[in-house]
Amino acid sequence: MKYLITGGSGLIGSKITQLLLKENDQVNWLSTSKKEENGVTTYSWDLEKGSIEGGCFEGVNAIIHLAGAGVADHKWTPAYKKLLIASRIDSTRGVNDPILKA
């Protein structure tokens, strides 16, 4: 299987990546920064510009979407709760829209 993971370098994403690689699955990350890991190809994306690096969806069997503001980064004030929700909605649209347009 070939997976594309958003938020792959985070706590949960890195653990999922390790487990998938142990199963000899192919793992690619979609990230705002180029981070090269052993066995992982990273594709860049910029939500504000609406751009995703070409080829990131090629041959992908499943997308694991974990990107968004960190749930443990700040106290959950009403304003931060709005940011948590908005970051997940925006990033989901950012991944979904190019797929739907293809």
Side-chain angles (χ1 to χ4, degrees), residues 34-67:
K34 281 285 204 180
K35 296 177 185 173
E36 294 303 322
E37 298 280 332
N38 291 337
V40 176
T41 300
T42 303
Y43 293 90
S44 63
W45 72 332
D46 186 328
L47 284 175
E48 289 181 18
K49 293 180 181 177
S51 66
I52 293 182
E53 186 175 345
C56 70
F57 298 114
E58 256 180 55
V60 169
N61 301 102
I63 298 172
I64 301 171
H65 179 50
L66 303 170

Side-chain angles (χ1 to χ4, degrees), residues 1-27:
M1 291 275 294
K2 183 175 179 180
Y3 295 88
L4 179 66
I5 302 176
T6 67
S9 62
L11 181 67
I12 295 170
S14 59
K15 184 63 177 174
I16 290 172
T17 296
Q18 290 172 1
L19 294 171
L20 292 172
L21 290 174
K22 281 183 185 178
E23 294 295 319
N24 293 316
D25 290 313
Q26 185 177 350
V27 177

